[in-house]
Amino acid sequence: MVKDFTSPRLIQNCFHGDVNTRGPLWAGEREERRAVPWYLHGNKIGSLASRQFKTLRHLTYLILASNSISMLQQDTFSGMHALKYLILDGNDITRLPPNVFNGLKHLETVSVAKNRVQVLPAGLFLH
């Protein structure tokens, strides 16, 4: 079963670094956890909503590898001002919207290995 990740109720057990927080993804992040990765790999996530991670504005690492994500919204990552590392490996993504990374001024690494992306839009990484 592929999960629709547009509802926060579906992800109740996400891994925050090496610690299972056993709480909803949007439970609010503590100051000391900013640099700890959110591991959401292997959760059979099929879709991500517009501004899905808007409350995680201080998060620096987001791992969404090995899911079933087929597309990203133009503003899926909007509001994630501190995001540095985004790992999307092993999904079903065929294209990246031209402005999907707009506003992510600290973004250093994006990995889309093992997806079906064939062409990157011009200006994709212009902030």
Side-chain angles (χ1 to χ4, degrees), residues 42-59:
N43 277 297
K44 298 183 183 175
I45 297 167
S47 62
L48 298 171
S50 177
R51 298 182 55 84
Q52 181 74 56
F53 304 101
K54 67 183 177 188
T55 60
L56 298 175
R57 64 184 173 270
H58 300 293
L59 191 71

Side-chain angles (χ1 to χ4, degrees), residues 66-111:
S66 301
N67 283 290
S68 299
I69 300 166
S70 58
M71 63 181 268
L72 300 173
Q73 303 294 325
Q74 190 86 347
D75 58 352
T76 296
F77 305 108
S78 290
M80 298 189 77
H81 305 297
L83 189 64
K84 288 184 178 183
Y85 303 96
L86 177 60
I87 310 303
L88 295 163
D89 298 348
N91 282 288
D92 297 320
I93 300 168
T94 56
R95 69 173 196 84
L96 295 172
N99 298 320
V100 70
F101 304 126
N102 277 9
L104 304 180
K105 297 185 185 314
H106 299 285
L107 191 61
E108 296 175 7
T109 302
V110 175
S111 182

